[in-house]
């Protein structure tokens, strides 16, 4: 087993990094469950034909082959081939159709799983990473208020991570109907083409985008200018809605679709300002995703780490799934957990107080007395205190060192039987302070903050 | 998206089944952490050459290919190809080598992840399933007492599931040194060949095994008889050790290796009898695994469901991993979680009290008053009570029906503003009993047993 080297794009954490990741996952799960989302998992594979329904992602799919497949198995077409899922939306849509008769709609689910993308790994792109998704899907219809609720759930989930040092988040929202209504109003009908150019704003700047709109989309300079003016609008209160309407009016571009979109965006901005002040910002330059979402679209940035890109994105689909007879509209968001955890760790923002669950290491006096140490550990565990027993009856100094290396705060010394045949009192030592006191395994407990490993801002 | 059908061998659960699985996973994790095992995850893929080190499993491996791979990428040999891991032991061994300098040994870890096997799915065999592993690995050496501790950890983990209706478990143990010492003592040196035949006992019976030992292993009828007599021995106290020694003596087959193995087996049986009476049984016919483990070997059956096979197996490796310079011995066990959960569900042994986390559905009086319902839900969630808000301001009867269909026990009615301009009291209804009382979202709480979905024996 020579030449062991990490595989680029497949992140793994050491035990203390995993404590951080597990804390993030537990926090997300708790927030989702408090909001009534049911947890599901789907299989890692989907038929290749399902995965390829969106043409552009085809290059990212990992296809599976049984190493010793029969020849006819290897040759069969994509309808029988399996690939690893590259997101949790395609599998969820399939799960909804497969189980539609056994689910109650609107169905709120969260799903936290690994996904795989066979792209070339580069600057923080992973080939395997954990996503945490929430979606609500309706049968036939889905009330608009879920488009308000879902980004707020995510804002709260990410907000609960502030206590471990996650920077504040800002949810940027836009609405497909606003963009499409406006573009059509000014006379640009290739909406997806325009969105594709506007999406380049951050990379190439407004002048270059204006040029592309003229060269590639056949826009007049005035139409291009209108698109840039729309993209420049952002804000977190209702004034933003008025500014869009004024702009559209000045171009004679007020359409029914625009008004529908503005009413939706207004409802979102208004509810968000009340329920999570300052967190949600309407940002009319958000274009990514507007080509396949049909209503609200969301991106989320870490304040101060905007260059990391969106860590939580999503939007509204009028047709998340359809079986021909029934249509299932949905709205959802997805957190890139691995990217987030990787950032927390690599930027040194957080640390785990220890990499092992153990709060107490029970020392072993002699190997013949190991049963006494096992009994202490059993008594502590029965009371919910994570305990381990020293691997060897070494000198106590070495056993304390064993605990110290792992960040275990307490070492327990079982009492020894004296010359008088009476067993002395057990003692427990806080190896950070050196304090050592008599203790009884049926009553003693560590301070609550030492019971389990915690994740804290790196400075603490 | 037509023709949606389940994929054979890739189990998925409906939300209430997932509640059961999640409960099992949470229970295992808690037990492992109370015993000081650190949680890790490894990537889903390993280089194919690593996965193929044990030749016999090659047919089970799923190989990955990027759908749009460059031709040279597709043609390269197994040293660069990636496959999905088929267990958690191979990845753990690689993780230990890769991170040896950053881990503290003995290193105790648990790992709960999906694994994949490309075999033809049949009678309960899955192609994708969750395993839950615990292992201890040492650097250079690993004290024997871990061979006693690890099966007891698993027995306790599985024992904690008795409260939800899991039948009692029995851990069957054997020791490679006992089997090998005995076989060599009676003059049979092809130890793995003999083990392979003895492993067929349950399937083909003792007469056929004796015949195979004579025909295939070149044993004399007397040697074959000795093997069968050894395999017939089982018991949960030290008498079992004496019976093996007596048998070996009668055949003049007492070897040093046998005595070493018997001393180990005795230590395990003795400690287990004290710490978990009746759970561990020495069973000398256990052969599966003895060909690659080097000391203790474990299988675990559900009492009354023995035909399900072992749900938790493992053993001691003298060389879990080696980088040429250092050797890492280990001992561990692995629970087949999916098989267990599948059995619990399909045999109707357990049920979840509900399939959603929600304890309280907050009704909506009119859509204009939705904010008041949202505020109630927010107040409840802030106090750790999972709450959801009704999707529509339908008639209360329909909103109650919405809760009832999901098993949500409580429906909350926000007070309405009367003609006098005063808002009436909120009320909460237990929809099982029909009891309805005034309530305040900042103080009311459901009974503890209704707070979260629970998993209970199916009869309850």
């Amino acid at each position: 087993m020579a030449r062991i080297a990490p595989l680029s794009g497949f992140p793994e954490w050491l035990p203390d990094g995993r404590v951080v990741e597990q804390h993030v996952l537990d926090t997300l799960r708790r927030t989702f469950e408090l909001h009534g989302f049911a947890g599901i998992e789907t299989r890692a594979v989907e038929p290749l034909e399902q995965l390829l329904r969106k043409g552009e992602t085809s290059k990212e799919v990992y296809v599976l082959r049984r190493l010793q497949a029969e020849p006819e198995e290897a040759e069969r077409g994509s309808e029988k081939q399996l690939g690893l899922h590259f997101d949790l939306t395609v599998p969820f849509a399939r799960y909804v159709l497969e189980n539609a008769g056994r689910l109650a709609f609107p169905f709120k689910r969260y799903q936290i799983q690994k996904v795989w993308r066979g792209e070339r790994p580069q600057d923080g792109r992973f080939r395997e990473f954990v996503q945490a998704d929430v979606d609500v899907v309706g049968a036939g219809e889905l009330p608009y208020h879920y488009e308000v609720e879902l980004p707020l759930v995510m804002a709260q989930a990410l907000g609960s991570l502030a206590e471990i040092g996650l920077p504040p988040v800002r949810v940027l929202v836009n609405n497909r109907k606003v963009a499409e209504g406006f573009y059509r109003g000014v006379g640009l009908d290739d909406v997806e083409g325009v969105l594709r150019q506007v999406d380049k704003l951050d990379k190439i700047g407004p002048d270059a985008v204006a040029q592309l709109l003229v060269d590639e989309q056949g826009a007049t300079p005035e139409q291009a200018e209108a698109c840039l003016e729309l993209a420049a609008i952002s804000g977190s209160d209702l004034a933003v809605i008025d500014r869009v309407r004024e702009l559209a009016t000045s171009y004679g571009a007020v359409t029914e679709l625009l008004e529908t979109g503005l009413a939706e965006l207004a409802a979102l901005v208004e509810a968000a300002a009340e329920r999570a002040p300052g967190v949600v910002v309407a940002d009319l330059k958000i274009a990514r995703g507007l080509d396949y979402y049909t209503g609200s679209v969301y991106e989320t940035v870490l304040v101060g780490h905007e260059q990391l890109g969106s860590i939580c994105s999503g939007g509204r689909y009028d047709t998340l799934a359809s079986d021909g007879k029934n249509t299932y509209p949905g709205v959802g968001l997805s957190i890139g957990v691995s990217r987030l955890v990787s950032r927390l760790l690599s930027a040194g923002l957080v640390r785990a107080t220890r990499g092992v669950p153990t709060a107490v290491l029970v020392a072993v006096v002699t190997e013949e007395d190991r049963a006494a140490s096992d009994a202490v550990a059993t008594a502590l565990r029965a009371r919910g205190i994570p305990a381990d027993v020293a691997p060897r009856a070494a000198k106590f100094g070495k056993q304390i060192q064993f605990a110290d290396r792992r960040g275990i705060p307490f070492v327990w010394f079982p009492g020894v039987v004296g010359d008088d045949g009476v067993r002395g009192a057990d003692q427990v030592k806080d190896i950070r302070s050196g304090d050592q006191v008599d203790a009884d395994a049926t009553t003693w407990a560590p301070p609550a903050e030492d019971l389990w490993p915690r994740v804290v801002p790196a400075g603490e």
Side-chain angles (χ1 to χ4, degrees), chain A residues 95-420:
Chain A
Y95 179 95
V96 165
L97 289 184
E98 193 174 313
N99 299 297
R102 292 171 288 178
L103 299 173
F105 294 96
F107 176 48
K108 297 173 76 171
R109 82 88 175 79
Y110 76 92
Q111 190 169 349
I112 301 177
Q113 285 186 253
K114 287 187 178 152
V115 304
W116 294 268
R117 295 186 187 177
E119 52 195 338
R120 300 206 170 278
Q122 49 184 356
D123 51 13
R125 294 242 173 164
F126 293 134
R127 291 184 153 195
E128 174 181 72
F129 53 99
V130 177
Q131 285 194 332
D133 283 27
V134 291
D135 283 272
V136 183
V137 61
E141 52 167 14
L142 185 72
Y144 176 75
H145 63 78
Y146 287 114
E147 289 178 57
V148 179
E149 177 186 344
L150 264 72
L152 294 178
V153 171
M154 282 306 204
Q156 180 164 350
L158 293 165
S160 335
L161 294 171
E163 66 184 34
I164 65 163
L166 188 76
V169 296
R170 188 152 295 149
V171 183
L172 311 177
V173 304
N174 198 355
N175 189 296
R176 161 85 185 202
K177 292 167 190 164
V178 172
E180 179 165 349
F182 183 88
Y183 297 153
R184 291 193 190 279
V186 299
L188 292 168
D189 285 334
D190 179 4
V191 175
E192 298 190 4
V194 174
L195 287 169
R196 207 163 47 242
Q197 307 303 351
V198 171
D199 190 34
K200 299 173 185 164
L201 261 176
D202 281 346
K203 272 194 202 127
I204 62 175
D207 293 347
V209 169
Q211 198 60 51
L212 282 171
L213 285 169
V214 171
D215 294 349
E216 309 272 327
Q217 309 307 133
T220 64
E222 193 195 22
Q223 288 173 323
E225 176 58 23
C227 294
L228 292 180
E229 286 184 53
L230 179 68
I233 296 176
S234 78
S236 59
D237 57 33
L238 287 178
V240 78
I241 307 297
D242 296 334
R243 286 164 61 201
V244 175
R245 192 177 288 111
E246 280 158 25
L247 180 71
T249 307
S250 75
Y251 281 99
V254 177
T255 60
E256 202 181 315
L257 187 62
L258 177 73
E259 284 296 350
T260 306
L262 284 178
E264 291 187 0
L265 196 56
L268 177 47
V269 165
E270 198 172 11
E274 184 177 330
R275 291 171 64 179
V279 170
V280 171
V281 176
D283 186 339
L284 280 294
K285 86 168 174 301
I286 300 292
R288 201 182 57 160
L290 280 181
D291 48 341
Y292 46 90
Y293 293 115
T294 54
S296 302
V297 61
Y298 319 103
E299 294 194 0
T300 311
V301 293
L302 289 180
V303 176
H305 299 259
E306 288 80 1
Q307 81 293 357
L308 193 60
S310 176
I311 55 159
C312 173
S313 309
R316 156 95 187 199
Y317 286 101
D318 282 341
T319 310
L320 174 76
S322 169
D323 57 10
K325 222 169 47 215
N326 298 298
T327 294
Y328 300 88
V331 55
L333 292 97
S334 175
I335 297 179
V337 176
S338 298
R339 182 189 286 207
L340 191 66
V341 171
S342 171
R343 183 68 177 191
L344 287 170
L345 293 174
S346 67
L349 294 171
V350 304
R351 66 176 181 89
T353 54
R354 58 185 188 260
V356 293
T358 318
V360 183
L361 178 75
V362 184
V364 177
V365 182
T366 72
E367 283 301 330
E368 289 65 44
D369 295 320
R370 176 169 292 277
S373 300
D374 285 336
V376 170
T378 300
L380 292 171
R381 290 167 188 149
R383 296 174 45 242
I385 301 167
D388 202 355
V389 177
R392 301 194 168 281
K395 287 186 180 160
F396 281 164
K398 277 197 86 165
Q399 299 193 48
I400 291 170
Q401 200 179 41
F402 178 96
D404 191 41
R405 279 196 65 188
R406 287 160 177 78
I408 300 170
F410 294 95
V411 176
W412 190 284
F413 302 100
V416 288
V417 178
D419 293 338
D420 55 0

Side-chain angles (χ1 to χ4, degrees), chain A residues 35-51:
Chain A
H35 285 80
F37 290 81
I40 68 162
E41 288 207 343
T42 57
R43 61 191 189 221
V45 303
E46 296 293 332
L48 193 54
E49 57 173 356
Q50 298 279 0
L51 295 172

Side-chain angles (χ1 to χ4, degrees), chain A residues 413-429:
Chain A
F413 302 100
V416 288
V417 178
D419 293 338
D420 55 0
V422 178
R423 183 174 155 173
D426 288 10
Q427 292 205 311
V428 67
K429 181 192 197 80

